[in-house]
Amino acid sequence: MRRARDCAGAIRKGNRMSEEQLKTELVDAAGIAQLDVDALVTIAHEGVETSDPWRKELERTGEFTGKLNEIAIQFSPAGHKARRVVLVGGGKADKFTQDEVRKVAGTATRALKAKGVKTVALVLDSLEPGFAAAAVEGAILGDWEPDRHKSKKEEKHLEKFLIAVKDPKALQASFERGRWLAESQNLTRELVNEPPNLLTPLVLAARAKKMAEANGLECEILDEERMRVLGMGSLLGVSMGSAQPPALIVLRYRPATPASGDHLGLVGKGVTFDTGGISIKPAEGMEKMKSDMAGGAAAIGAMQAIARLKPSIAVTAFIPAVENMPSDRAQRPGDIVTSMSGKTIEVLNTDAEGRLILNDAITYAKQQGCTHLVDAATLTGAVVVALGFVNVGVFSNDEEFQAKLLKAAKAAGEKMWPLPLDEEYRELLKSPYADIANIGGRWGGAISAAMFLKEFAGETPWVHLDIAGTALLEQTRPFLANGATGVAVRTFVNLAVSW
């Protein structure tokens, strides 16, 4: 049996989230003139007439037009206790959705904390509950920085973010939901950004278990021997080359009063580092392969939010966690492995490892009673060629279930685009030596990868999210720091809550 390296320090270091969250609060907009804050933020739309002489002058000089995420600051404003009033562009008023609210709040947070501001109040005119939720999400997501391992951290940070609305009591529940959701998304971002020497499969399992204990979830960790007994030869084949043992993380949420017999399974790829194995990747950019567990981290973050929001459907997350390394024990191109389903797989490329661990997790999820499955995985570079860094690739064997997920994604502000799974693509995965090959050639790579997973989903309604192009942000945006995005967390949670 392989032994894990000493990870105690990494586990201890990894448990620091809640005490660092930005303090947020809903307040009554009737008293905004008396708010004692460093900055009072208002949203100004493009092309909307104003009686404010300061804004009129800014528009006349072209310094502010109201375009999305523009910023203008006025110091010592008359009639306000706030030290400064800030205009943030909201874009066109008729296109101002929850997604724009989220971005505006994030932009204000990041721009003002960079100037040393400590306390901010954002004025929201709308009474739409989703706007209050999106505003607190944007502030918490915008405040987060990927600097946890820097010996000297940025000293400029926000301490408090207030959201001023006309009826705080009516919006409190939505506000709390937004706060919980953003904190869970930041948990996912924190996990994805962790370096691979500190986040091995067993450390990821320990972090998931700690989260579960804190939120009242059941947690089970299947070790290597247990997976071998269950026949997970496909998953274990990937982990063979690493000194780090694999783990299958199972997180269970059960509602007190289920609305139906439906059982949602969330499956997340958890490759804590991917060298490609024997089919080794190029050196350039390989450091980003610490994020190859972004799907698994999204499932963990989503389960934290689900535990707090308590939907009426049973939800179980399955995160197969492995490290894909080359060694004298590593899986070889040409190997044939037997999956938990009994299907044999010819491994033509060891860098197509995500589908090899996901198929056993999908089979196990079905055995555990899941009636509907969604998986998220940084699965293929081909999906980036197809959709760039904007949309998640979506594949499904069930149109109704896919429509439900896309509706949840749209409400969450996460861009996703469906791609085909016509039966003709199955021909790409034929093998003369096994039931199926693990790659289908150069063309349609994202589709053949999804087609591989479809083989194991069988008749169970299933959606596959290829998040390879959206899991990482390489350049800071006005509303979000670079690094992990936490994509799919909000969609997972919306899907469960709106079931």
Side-chain angles (χ1 to χ4, degrees), residues 22 24 26 43 97-106 109 122-124 128-142 161-165 174-175 178-179 182:
L22 175 66
T24 56
L26 275 182
I43 300 167
T97 66
Q98 291 180 32
D99 196 33
E100 280 68 42
V101 174
R102 193 179 295 109
K103 289 175 181 176
V104 162
T109 297
L122 170 67
V123 181
L124 273 185
E128 184 180 328
F131 277 28
V136 71
E137 286 174 28
I140 291 172
L141 296 173
F161 193 97
L162 308 177
I163 300 172
V165 294
S174 180
F175 170 83
R179 181 168 62 82

Side-chain angles (χ1 to χ4, degrees), residues 128-205:
E128 184 180 328
F131 277 28
V136 71
E137 286 174 28
I140 291 172
L141 296 173
D143 186 58
W144 183 87
E145 296 291 345
D147 62 353
R148 70 178 301 174
H149 293 294
K150 288 188 176 182
S151 57
K152 186 176 181 181
K153 293 181 174 58
E154 177 60 62
E155 293 181 2
K156 295 177 180 178
H157 61 92
L158 285 189
E159 294 176 357
K160 186 180 286 188
F161 193 97
L162 308 177
I163 300 172
V165 294
K166 292 176 183 176
D167 190 352
K169 286 185 179 179
L171 300 180
Q172 190 64 40
S174 180
F175 170 83
E176 290 295 330
R177 173 179 169 174
R179 181 168 62 82
W180 290 338
L181 199 51
E183 289 177 0
S184 296
Q185 189 171 341
N186 278 350
L187 168 62
T188 292
R189 296 168 79 193
E190 197 79 41
L191 290 171
V192 176
N193 270 18
E194 281 291 81
N197 61 321
L198 298 183
L199 194 81
T200 62
L202 292 189
V203 174
L204 181 62

